[in-house]
Amino acid sequence: MKERLESLRGELAKQGLDGFVVPHSDEFQNEYLPPSAERLAWLTGFTGSAGLAVVLAEKAAVFTDGRYTLQIREQVDETLYDIRHITEEPPKDWIAGNLPEGGRLGYDPWLHTEKALETWREAAEKAGGELVAAETNPLDAVWADRPAAPAAPIGPHDLAFTGESSEAKRKRVGGSLTEKGADAAVITAPDSIAWMLNVRGGDVSHTPLPLSFAILYANGRVEWFVDPAKTGPDMAVHLGDEVAVRGRDEFEPALWALGNSRVLADPGGTAALVFDRLGKAGAKIVKEPDPCQLPKACKNEVEIEGARAANRRDGAALTRFLAWLAAAAPGISEIVAAEKLQGFRLENDRIADLSFRTISGSGPNGAIVHYSVTPESDRTLGTGELYLVDSGAQYLDGTTDVTRTVAIGAPTAEMRDRFTRVLKGHIALATARFPEGTTGSQLDALARAALWQAGLDYDHGTGHGVGSYLGVHEGPQRISKIPNTVALKPGMIVSNEPGYYKTGEYGIRIENLVCVTPIEIDGAEKTMLGFETLTVAPIDLNLVEPSLLTPSETEWLDEYHAQVRETLTPLVDGETVPWLEQATRAIT
Amino acid sequence: MKERLESLRGELAKQGLDGFVVPHSDEFQNEYLPPSAERLAWLTGFTGSAGLAVVLAEKAAVFTDGRYTLQIREQVDETLYDIRHITEEPPKDWIAGNLPEGGRLGYDPWLHTEKALETWREAAEKAGGELVAAETNPLDAVWADRPAAPAAPIGPHDLAFTGESSEAKRKRVGGSLTEKGADAAVITAPDSIAWMLNVRGGDVSHTPLPLSFAILYANGRVEWFVDPAKTGPDMAVHLGDEVAVRGRDEFEPALWALGNSRVLADPGGTAALVFDRLGKAGAKIVKEPDPCQLPKACKNEVEIEGARAANRRDGAALTRFLAWLAAAAPGISEIVAAEKLQGFRLENDRIADLSFRTISGSGPNGAIVHYSVTPESDRTLGTGELYLVDSGAQYLDGTTDVTRTVAIGAPTAEMRDRFTRVLKGHIALATARFPEGTTGSQLDALARAALWQAGLDYDHGTGHGVGSYLGVHEGPQRISKIPNTVALKPGMIVSNEPGYYKTGEYGIRIENLVCVTPIEIDGAEKTMLGFETLTVAPIDLNLVEPSLLTPSETEWLDEYHAQVRETLTPLVDGETVPWLEQATRAIT
């Protein structure tokens, strides 16, 4: 890693730059990166899904969030990089404090949103320096063995799963542009394009994304900029006359051609280069969120029914695994467990892939929030330990994501206390009712209050949006401490996943997917919403301390388990049924 | 009002403007306005504390928030103005939809913050028009009988109450400017200046504010721009050598003189004119919040002890009133009740004024959140009704604000249900524990969850900051649905005031002041904070439905009442003692 850092510094000097910002992103501003865009990992060794490095001539720093606090210290050489918490010690402060007076801080305009640039610019100016767009990416220049860009085939996604034709979506979203004062929108988010065109691809692992760009016009027509090698002959039929397929290299010229138009682009989700080109072309830029985001997040009835079905099948696989685990542990390894679970999942109908690499962590590894087991880190599930498994799959009818924490042998009183507090938070959110217009940020504390009472907390969000055979993380909604102004709307699928992590000892997380749904309440004076829990799998009763639960919390747990039992009994094998009976018994 | 609107339109035409924005603000961007700045009330008749009008040639609209929904319809002529909810139907949308293409929308740059201007500018441009600074305020030009600017005397506020000398504050805040890359700060918030200089005045009612401007330098020196007629001969001694007193008219020239400096100004709290002049002068503007805000909000030990003492005296007065009311009602009027309460308060030591006009509302008037009784609206407290009294005072050692809701005769089951849900929310907030770094926005839902479960809510914030013998509303913290990124810090005083309002029938609010305080918890893994309740007054047990309370909620109520009884028994008269005993009895 030292040579890589030094070669980058050499290239910076050549380009007349005093520093360079290396985000974890690609030109699609997409969380899921192909290997060719894993610049941060190549440079620093850090493989987490969120992070950023800033390289100066004399110093460098890597930033990530609480999920990766432990992992980053294992992966990154601290003699080369300062390691910082991305929100508590933000990069802008590090830049402001370390960029030399008059320093030129470079960035690749394909890899940052306009919004991010404002932050870096302000930080650079605070230090008395300036922010400078690099002509070519200096890291790419020194990355000798860089993998090729992905070129997975793209196919149609059937109406039986999407519930709405691409034409209807394009007309609907196109129509919304006019209301926002725009003639066209530049769409660069891969999941937005996949949703809008009802197509799926495979350019990144675990998420069926085609990487491409699009311009949507108010009349519903689309220009789609995509490597023609990716689309098969059936695509033209699927797309119809109103979608014109163009080469990837025609995208930038197409931006220049929008000079006389009012063009919507998302400052928080689209590369700064797009804004630069549109601005230089003379377009009137309408800065608004990606217009596909909200319609995509609000699942229609077909998608919700698909999610229910996918979660039932997924829950059956997970439950078979948990029953197997109850007999097999202690003594098996994290990798064996993860592979066994994958095996059960792969027997399911309509499965295309896992939705992310299974987190299979026992004992202290469970405390690493986004732990990814390797042969070196693999450990055996031991008696008296907790085992945390966070996993999911991509089914054609829905994307799943579920976490269960299981006691191997007898848990300690502390483990039961912590688990029950996490469960109380999970139930508080699952049973929350809230008026239309409420955001996930407003609800976040409900999931934490029971931990806070004991002076405890968890350093990650409480819930993320989940796509429909798309990203297992999607926006715009979120349940988090971080302020978010997007209201929860019926049809949005989010995770409900409070946790607790004791570094070096154990980790706890209870995660179900839930769907926002209207709730009828007698005498209600507002339109009220609540959550329908989609995930169907037992919660380990060995870890529940009933005396900490209120009567209504106990009632929720018993009802949930009754529903799990009823739903899954027909779907699991005969060996699993008695275990399921026992695992879902009422505790009252 | 019709003539006033027409004369304003005439003046707009004369100035070549197609519209004009009339905010509820003055050049100090201060919630509490002197009569000379009550432009919105003069024009529209609406006297609420938050609102805005937009006047176009053919149309006009007035906006306010949920607290004033009822009041605005009573005060404003709907044939002249559209009436809109300021957050649900924001002015920017109305402007974007109604300003004619090419229209020039005017504003007075003394009356808007830079941040607000961005919104109006964007809205005007969306309509194809433009936002234009008016040379002189066209409303002032037609406001014939405009009152004179206030000129109340300003005096020192004693160290025994402030706990920190002005010199220490100026050095401390001045030093913070350097860290922010600024040489000086323009301070225009009257409460910031009062706090920084340890002075109090009387330019607006109920809040001891001197209206003035100041420039603070990094070395702690201050230029204070204030009408010299307001300051007496003792002021020079109090201020010392490092505060230079200048005339109000020297402020604008002083901004021009900052051309070579790095100057901090608050885009959310300082008039746009200040930014305009600094920009034209060539100053490097550092946009940061008013640097006095946060230090002012975090009360020191002397201020906290003062707040405790003030709340004890205030609670004794309120309790004497409640005991009197229990005997006198039904049959007395809202005005008589408010005057009686004021009488008890005025017997207190160190009282300077009420902290706002007492809200004394019975039956349907209680449902008007910021109800202000007039001889026309006055009604008699009737049996079977609720009576809501929201009041407070300015004591030299602290500002108070408290709301109690009382049943006159027997309440209905619905009233008891609603009151108990409000109480559950109040207790949830009072007993909340949360890690350092938590904002009021994160906690807001805790106060609403019990109402939400029944499909109910209240359309106002849950808590506002409270000054120390200063504004009864102060920032930067707030407990509200509205996202706020300012963490709650030890020493901050905020109100805890959930409510419920049934239009045309009754209103409920339970408000105590609380102080953020560190909380020691065995085994805590984070620095935890919680609230110390400062307000000391009984909560009406006739309105509590014990079966709706959890054991820990009941425990809180009994403990609170035990503390109220113990604290107030020595402070109230002999007649009140037996009533207090009964009113604070344990319900278990």
Side-chain angles (χ1 to χ4, degrees):
Chain A
M1 295 300 151
K2 191 157 183 239
E3 302 76 56
R4 293 178 181 182
L5 181 58
E6 281 174 2
S7 66
L8 174 58
R9 282 179 170 146
E11 181 65 23
L12 291 181
K14 225 186 277 176
Q15 294 197 15
L17 295 173
D18 301 292
F20 192 64
V21 185
V22 183
H24 185 268
S25 66
D26 65 4
E27 58 270 49
F28 309 99
Q29 295 302 322
N30 171 35
E31 176 186 342
Y32 311 104
L33 302 188
S36 56
E38 288 285 5
R39 296 176 179 88
L40 184 66
W42 177 81
L43 180 68
T44 68
F46 174 59
T47 60
S49 69
L52 178 104
V54 183
V55 174
L56 303 179
E58 305 290 332
K59 281 183 176 179
V62 195
F63 303 79
T64 190
D65 63 38
R67 296 171 299 175
Y68 296 109
T69 313
L70 302 178
Q71 180 181 329
I72 196 169
R73 298 204 172 268
E74 283 174 14
Q75 294 184 323
V76 174
D77 183 345
E78 297 195 44
T79 66
L80 300 176
Y81 294 93
D82 293 347
I83 292 176
R84 295 282 183 267
H85 191 289
I86 200 161
T87 51
E88 290 168 12
E89 312 159 297
K92 68 182 172 75
D93 291 353
W94 194 89
I95 293 170
N98 289 289
L99 183 69
E101 175 92 31
R104 290 162 54 84
L105 180 67
Y107 69 96
D108 178 344
W110 276 112
L111 302 184
H112 299 262
T113 63
E114 246 225 337
K115 210 164 161 184
L117 280 198
E118 280 172 36
T119 310
W120 312 144
R121 182 167 296 122
E122 213 169 279
E125 289 176 359
K126 218 168 203 171
E130 60 175 323
L131 188 72
V132 181
E135 284 295 314
T136 60
N137 189 312
L139 187 148
D140 294 357
V142 297
W143 188 355
D145 53 348
R146 184 174 169 207
I154 302 173
H157 188 42
D158 203 280
L159 189 62
F161 302 123
T162 66
E164 184 179 10
S165 71
S166 170
E167 188 185 354
K169 290 178 180 177
R170 289 184 278 106
K171 293 272 192 277
R172 180 154 72 98
V173 180
S176 75
L177 299 182
T178 310
E179 287 162 38
K180 291 167 188 154
D183 309 311
V186 178
I187 318 271
T188 63
D191 59 342
S192 288
I193 296 172
W195 174 84
M196 177 173 71
L197 299 180
N198 284 344
V199 296
R200 296 294 187 270
D203 285 339
V204 299
S205 60
H206 301 313
T207 309
L209 293 179
L211 298 181
S212 64
F213 299 110
I215 298 173
L216 167 69
Y217 295 89
N219 61 6
R221 296 185 73 93
V222 160
E223 287 184 287
W224 188 23
F225 304 91
V226 60
D227 180 349
K230 291 185 185 179
T231 58
D234 55 340
M235 192 50 82
V237 177
H238 170 71
L239 293 173
D241 290 344
E242 301 201 312
V243 179
V245 179
R246 309 251 181 275
R248 263 280 302 262
D249 49 358
E250 294 178 59
F251 177 57
E252 227 185 294
L255 296 176
W256 285 103
L258 288 170
N260 293 319
S261 304
R262 299 171 305 167
V263 185
L264 186 151
D266 183 346
T270 290
L273 182 132
V274 170
F275 289 87
D276 180 75
R277 298 303 185 265
L278 288 174
K280 285 177 178 156
K284 182 176 178 313
I285 306 178
V286 178
K287 293 184 184 179
E288 290 272 351
D290 175 336
C292 294
Q293 270 210 322
L294 196 58
K296 169 169 58 63
C298 298
K299 274 71 182 170
N300 60 39
E301 268 312 312
V302 171
E303 291 170 315
I304 295 170
E305 199 41 68
R308 289 187 187 115
N311 275 284
R312 280 193 297 269
R313 295 197 303 281
D314 197 62
L318 178 59
T319 298
R320 289 173 66 195
F321 166 76
L322 292 171
W324 169 84
L325 186 75
I332 54 155
S333 79
E334 294 166 346
I335 290 180
V336 167
E339 285 173 353
K340 190 78 187 175
L341 173 55
Q342 181 168 356
F344 285 121
R345 277 213 167 86
L346 288 175
E347 292 178 28
N348 270 340
D349 287 345
R350 293 179 172 166
I351 189 163
D353 196 351
L354 298 186
S355 55
F356 56 97
R357 196 155 181 279
T358 297
I359 297 172
S360 173
S362 73
N365 288 343
I368 302 170
V369 176
H370 273 203
Y371 173 64
S372 187
V373 57
T374 62
E376 295 72 44
S377 72
D378 195 19
R379 65 190 295 286
T380 297
L381 281 57
T383 303
E385 293 185 345
L386 298 188
Y387 170 65
L388 184 154
V389 57
D390 184 350
S391 64
Q394 293 286 2
Y395 301 94
L396 295 180
D397 48 356
T399 302
T400 67
D401 184 1
V402 51
T403 309
R404 288 296 181 266
T405 306
V406 177
I408 309 299
T412 65
E414 183 191 271
M415 289 169 177
R416 288 163 59 90
D417 176 88
R418 298 326 188 224
F419 184 90
T420 308
R421 288 179 187 278
V422 172
L423 179 60
K424 287 168 80 79
H426 182 93
I427 296 172
L429 198 57
T431 58
R433 296 163 164 186
F434 46 90
E436 214 175 23
T438 301
T439 68
S441 305
Q442 290 175 249
L443 301 183
D444 180 75
L446 300 177
R448 299 183 194 268
L451 286 162
W452 284 352
Q453 283 295 324
L456 312 172
D457 199 4
Y458 50 94
D459 193 5
H460 59 70
T462 300
H464 53 81
V466 176
S468 185
Y469 187 43
L470 265 180
V472 71
H473 295 166
E474 73 170 20
Q477 78 279 15
R478 188 171 49 190
I479 301 175
S480 162
K481 290 184 180 188
I482 300 165
N484 175 312
T485 56
V486 179
L488 294 170
K489 287 184 187 296
M492 284 180 170
I493 296 177
V494 289
S495 65
N496 170 2
E497 51 175 317
Y500 169 75
Y501 308 92
K502 189 163 187 181
T503 305
E505 299 198 24
Y506 59 88
I508 293 166
R509 186 158 65 249
I510 305 172
E511 176 185 25
N512 284 345
L513 297 190
V514 299
C515 182
V516 181
T517 185
I519 301 272
E520 292 296 326
I521 302 173
D522 268 1
E525 296 174 356
K526 307 257 170 184
T527 303
M528 300 300 292
L529 303 175
F531 296 116
E532 171 191 347
T533 292
L534 300 173
T535 302
V536 196
I539 292 167
D540 189 357
L541 292 174
N542 296 322
L543 282 165
V544 176
E545 174 48 54
S547 68
L548 284 178
L549 296 179
T550 66
S552 58
E553 287 165 346
T554 304
E555 191 186 337
W556 181 90
L557 184 61
D558 286 348
E559 280 181 10
Y560 178 68
H561 272 152
Q563 183 209 326
V564 169
R565 189 168 58 243
E566 192 183 329
T567 306
L568 296 187
T569 299
L571 301 180
V572 296
D573 55 306
E575 279 174 69
T576 302
V577 169
W579 180 86
L580 178 60
E581 285 279 333
Q582 154 70 14
T584 58
R585 68 192 182 276
I587 61 168
T588 40
Chain B
M1 294 300 153
K2 191 155 185 244
E3 301 77 56
R4 293 177 183 184
L5 181 59
E6 281 174 1
S7 65
L8 174 58
R9 282 177 170 149
E11 180 66 24
L12 291 181
K14 225 186 277 179
Q15 294 198 15
L17 295 172
D18 301 294
F20 192 64
V21 185
V22 182
H24 185 268
S25 66
D26 65 4
E27 57 270 50
F28 308 98
Q29 295 303 321
N30 170 36
E31 176 187 341
Y32 311 103
L33 302 187
S36 55
E38 287 285 5
R39 295 177 180 87
L40 185 65
W42 177 81
L43 180 68
T44 68
F46 174 60
T47 60
S49 70
L52 178 105
V54 183
V55 174
L56 302 178
E58 305 290 331
K59 279 182 177 180
V62 195
F63 303 79
T64 190
D65 63 37
R67 296 172 299 175
Y68 296 108
T69 313
L70 302 179
Q71 180 181 330
I72 196 170
R73 296 204 175 269
E74 283 175 15
Q75 293 185 323
V76 173
D77 182 345
E78 296 195 46
T79 66
L80 300 176
Y81 293 94
D82 293 347
I83 292 176
R84 296 283 183 266
H85 191 289
I86 201 160
T87 52
E88 291 169 12
E89 312 158 297
K92 68 183 172 73
D93 291 353
W94 193 89
I95 293 169
N98 289 290
L99 183 70
E101 176 91 32
R104 291 162 53 85
L105 181 67
Y107 70 95
D108 178 343
W110 276 112
L111 302 185
H112 298 261
T113 62
E114 246 225 338
K115 210 165 161 184
L117 281 198
E118 280 172 36
T119 310
W120 311 145
R121 182 168 295 121
E122 213 169 277
E125 288 175 0
K126 218 167 203 170
E130 60 176 322
L131 188 72
V132 181
E135 284 294 314
T136 59
N137 189 312
L139 187 148
D140 295 356
V142 297
W143 187 355
D145 52 349
R146 185 173 169 208
I154 303 173
H157 188 43
D158 202 281
L159 189 62
F161 302 123
T162 66
E164 185 179 10
S165 70
S166 170
E167 188 185 354
K169 291 178 179 178
R170 287 184 280 106
K171 293 271 189 280
R172 179 155 72 99
V173 179
S176 76
L177 299 182
T178 310
E179 287 162 38
K180 292 168 188 152
D183 309 311
V186 178
I187 318 272
T188 62
D191 59 343
S192 288
I193 296 172
W195 174 84
M196 176 173 73
L197 300 180
N198 284 344
V199 296
R200 296 296 186 269
D203 285 338
V204 300
S205 58
H206 301 312
T207 310
L209 293 179
L211 298 181
S212 64
F213 298 109
I215 299 173
L216 167 69
Y217 295 89
N219 60 6
R221 297 186 71 94
V222 161
E223 288 185 286
W224 189 23
F225 304 90
V226 59
D227 180 349
K230 291 185 185 179
T231 58
D234 56 341
M235 192 50 81
V237 178
H238 170 71
L239 294 174
D241 290 345
E242 300 200 313
V243 180
V245 179
R246 308 250 181 275
R248 264 279 302 263
D249 49 358
E250 294 178 60
F251 178 57
E252 228 185 295
L255 296 175
W256 285 103
L258 289 169
N260 293 320
S261 305
R262 301 171 303 168
V263 184
L264 186 152
D266 184 345
T270 290
L273 182 130
V274 169
F275 290 86
D276 179 76
R277 298 303 184 267
L278 289 174
K280 286 178 178 156
K284 182 175 178 314
I285 305 178
V286 178
K287 294 183 184 180
E288 289 272 352
D290 175 337
C292 294
Q293 270 209 320
L294 198 57
K296 168 168 60 63
C298 298
K299 274 71 181 171
N300 60 39
E301 269 310 314
V302 170
E303 291 170 315
I304 295 171
E305 199 40 68
R308 289 185 188 116
N311 274 284
R312 281 195 296 267
R313 294 197 303 280
D314 197 61
L318 178 59
T319 298
R320 289 173 66 194
F321 166 76
L322 292 172
W324 169 84
L325 185 75
I332 55 155
S333 79
E334 293 166 346
I335 290 180
V336 166
E339 284 173 351
K340 190 78 189 177
L341 173 55
Q342 180 167 357
F344 286 120
R345 277 211 168 86
L346 289 174
E347 291 177 28
N348 270 340
D349 287 345
R350 293 179 173 168
I351 188 163
D353 196 350
L354 299 186
S355 56
F356 55 97
R357 197 157 181 277
T358 297
I359 297 173
S360 173
S362 73
N365 287 343
I368 303 170
V369 176
H370 273 202
Y371 173 64
S372 186
V373 55
T374 62
E376 295 72 44
S377 72
D378 194 19
R379 66 190 295 285
T380 297
L381 280 59
T383 303
E385 293 185 345
L386 298 187
Y387 169 66
L388 184 156
V389 57
D390 184 350
S391 63
Q394 293 286 1
Y395 301 93
L396 295 180
D397 49 356
T399 302
T400 67
D401 184 2
V402 50
T403 309
R404 287 296 180 268
T405 307
V406 178
I408 309 298
T412 65
E414 183 191 272
M415 289 170 178
R416 288 163 59 91
D417 176 89
R418 298 327 188 220
F419 184 90
T420 308
R421 289 179 186 277
V422 173
L423 178 61
K424 287 168 80 79
H426 182 93
I427 296 172
L429 197 59
T431 58
R433 294 162 166 190
F434 46 90
E436 214 174 22
T438 301
T439 67
S441 306
Q442 290 176 250
L443 301 182
D444 179 75
L446 300 177
R448 299 183 193 268
L451 287 162
W452 284 352
Q453 283 295 326
L456 312 172
D457 199 3
Y458 50 94
D459 192 5
H460 60 70
T462 300
H464 54 81
V466 176
S468 185
Y469 186 43
L470 264 181
V472 72
H473 295 166
E474 73 169 19
Q477 79 279 14
R478 187 169 51 189
I479 301 175
S480 162
K481 290 186 182 188
I482 300 165
N484 175 312
T485 56
V486 179
L488 295 170
K489 287 185 186 297
M492 284 180 170
I493 295 177
V494 289
S495 65
N496 170 2
E497 51 176 316
Y500 170 75
Y501 309 92
K502 189 163 187 180
T503 304
E505 299 198 23
Y506 59 87
I508 293 166
R509 186 157 66 251
I510 304 173
E511 177 186 25
N512 284 346
L513 297 190
V514 299
C515 182
V516 180
T517 185
I519 301 272
E520 291 297 326
I521 302 173
D522 267 2
E525 296 174 356
K526 307 257 171 183
T527 304
M528 300 299 292
L529 303 175
F531 296 116
E532 171 191 346
T533 292
L534 299 174
T535 302
V536 197
I539 291 168
D540 189 358
L541 291 174
N542 296 322
L543 282 165
V544 176
E545 174 49 55
S547 68
L548 284 178
L549 297 179
T550 66
S552 58
E553 288 165 346
T554 304
E555 192 185 335
W556 181 90
L557 185 61
D558 286 349
E559 280 181 9
Y560 178 67
H561 271 152
Q563 184 209 328
V564 169
R565 189 168 59 242
E566 193 184 328
T567 307
L568 296 187
T569 299
L571 300 180
V572 297
D573 55 305
E575 279 173 68
T576 302
V577 170
W579 180 87
L580 178 60
E581 286 279 333
Q582 155 70 14
T584 57
R585 68 192 180 276
I587 61 169
T588 41

